């Protein structure tokens, strides 16, 4: 970096954007991912410079960032191009709740807001612990979370953990430890055999069709389908490993497990 703390930051995914806003450090953001929608004003205030696996490198370079925040191996090619252009990049690669809290603390440290970040992370951890205590001893519905439909991909680590925090049991919890989506592909037969009581779906980039899920061959025997407990959770709430998932994402899961309607972003 050319200065510390960095004055000009580009965020290639949403969770670091929201974190910087929550820390009161949003003035440092000069460019964001096109998927950044939290808080709502970000779409008015910050120029969009990337999708998820693609980015407008010349536009990013024109913003003269001191630091770029990236996420996961899926952005490795973007990161490599920026590094070759002489840009400092910090890449996060977290896949669980502990990693989300660590990301918040790291972002805070990198912008000189370590104490505020620690308070934010501690607050989230306390809220999660309180929620776990609330559901302790209660009956736990079996939950299938679908991250994609063709092929069917089950939920990633932080999603599986939040299902547990909300009071459910992820029927594919063992797969949630696999970071790569290809390693979480499940068959229709496996879902039917798991017999989930609730089905939650969030397909990145397209709207979920509960009707299509219910119409799958043999799925009428699944308790969730039989009892009308198939719910969509909007991707901005749950598929970004950041504050949104720990707050509104968790609330959406809780609402669905109670037969409520998950809130919209």
């Amino acid at each position: 970096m050319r200065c510390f703390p960095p004055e000009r930051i580009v965020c290639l995914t949403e969770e670091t954007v929201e974190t910087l806003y929550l820390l009161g450090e949003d003035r440092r953001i000069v460019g964001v991912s096109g998927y950044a929608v939290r808080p709502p004003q970000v779409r008015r205030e910050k120029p969009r410079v990337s999708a998820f696996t693609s980015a407008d490198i010349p536009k990013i370079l024109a913003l003269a960032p001191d630091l770029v925040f990236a996420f996961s191996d899926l952005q490795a090619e973007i990161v490599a191009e920026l590094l070759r252009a002489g840009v400092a990049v910090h890449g996060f690669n977290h896949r669980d709740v502990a990693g989300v809290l660590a990301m918040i603390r790291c972002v805070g440290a990198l912008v000189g807001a370590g104490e505020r970040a620690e308070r934010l992370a501690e607050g989230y951890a306390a809220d999660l612990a309180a929620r776990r205590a609330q559901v302790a001893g209660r009956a736990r519905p079996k939950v299938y979370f679908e991250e994609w439909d063709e092929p069917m991909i089950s939920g990633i680590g932080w999603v599986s953990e939040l299902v547990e925090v909300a009071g459910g049991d992820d029927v594919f919890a063992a797969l949630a430890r696999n970071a790569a989506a290809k390693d979480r592909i499940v068959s229709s037969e496996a879902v039917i055999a798991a017999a989930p009581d609730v089905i939650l779906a969030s397909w990145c980039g397209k709207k979920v069709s509960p009707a299509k899920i219910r119409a799958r061959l043999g799925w009428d025997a699944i308790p969730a389908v039989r009892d009308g407990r198939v719910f969509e959770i909007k991707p901005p709430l749950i598929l970004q490993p950041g504050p949104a998932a720990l707050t509104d994402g968790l609330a959406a899961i809780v609402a669905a497990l109670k037969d409520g309607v998950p809130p919209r972003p």
Side-chain angles (χ1 to χ4, degrees):
M1 288 186 290
R2 293 172 296 184
C3 62
F4 184 86
E7 288 295 323
R8 301 178 62 81
I9 298 175
V10 167
C11 301
L12 300 182
T13 53
E14 183 182 47
E15 64 279 353
T16 49
V17 173
E18 185 172 14
T19 298
L20 286 167
Y21 268 90
L22 289 168
L23 294 175
E25 298 292 339
D26 47 288
R27 66 172 181 81
R28 301 179 188 275
I29 303 172
V30 296
V32 300
S33 160
Y35 290 106
V37 296
R38 294 171 61 96
Q41 64 265 34
V42 69
R43 297 184 72 82
R44 302 189 305 270
E45 296 177 348
K46 308 297 180 181
R48 285 166 277 178
V49 299
S50 69
F52 185 60
T53 58
S54 63
D56 188 333
I57 300 297
K59 190 171 184 178
I60 293 173
L61 296 179
L63 292 170
D66 301 311
L67 181 63
V68 172
F69 284 134
F71 172 72
S72 92
D73 54 295
L74 294 176
Q75 294 192 329
E77 292 184 11
I78 301 172
V79 168
E81 193 166 351
L82 289 171
L83 290 172
R84 284 193 290 266
V87 178
V89 181
H90 186 102
F92 292 98
N93 212 11
H94 52 291
R95 299 297 203 282
D96 55 19
V97 170
V100 174
L101 297 177
M103 178 275 294
I104 291 169
R105 292 180 170 106
C106 184
V107 169
L110 286 170
V111 298
E115 291 185 5
R116 274 174 281 154
E118 183 62 30
R119 288 194 297 271
L120 185 62
E122 286 181 351
Y124 289 143
D127 290 344
L128 295 173
R131 181 64 204 173
R132 281 194 175 96
Q134 288 176 3
V135 300
R138 297 183 186 177
R140 303 181 66 85
K142 294 188 294 181
V143 180
Y144 166 53
F145 186 96
E146 186 169 282
E147 189 177 300
W148 192 247
D149 61 331
E150 295 178 350
M152 289 183 290
I153 297 172
S154 60
I156 199 166
W158 71 84
V159 174
S160 181
E161 288 183 69
L162 292 175
V163 166
E164 180 268 328
V165 170
D169 287 329
D170 177 10
V171 296
F172 295 115
L175 295 180
R177 293 189 290 268
N178 298 327
K182 66 181 178 61
D183 295 326
R184 289 180 278 112
I185 293 174
V186 298
S187 67
S188 182
E189 293 76 14
V191 179
I192 294 170
D197 301 300
V198 179
I199 294 175
L200 306 177
S202 188
W203 302 340
C204 185
K206 67 178 180 179
K207 184 176 175 59
V208 168
S209 173
K212 287 184 179 180
I213 292 175
R214 293 191 296 266
R216 290 172 182 168
L217 184 64
W219 282 44
D220 55 342
I222 296 175
V225 174
R226 182 193 64 213
D227 299 335
R229 303 188 70 184
V230 179
F231 301 103
E232 177 183 19
I233 297 181
K234 300 298 182 182
L237 299 184
I238 196 65
L239 295 186
Q240 298 285 352
L246 304 185
T247 55
D248 293 343
L250 175 59
I253 297 172
V254 169
L257 298 194
K258 290 181 177 179
D259 279 335
V261 179
R264 300 180 68 85

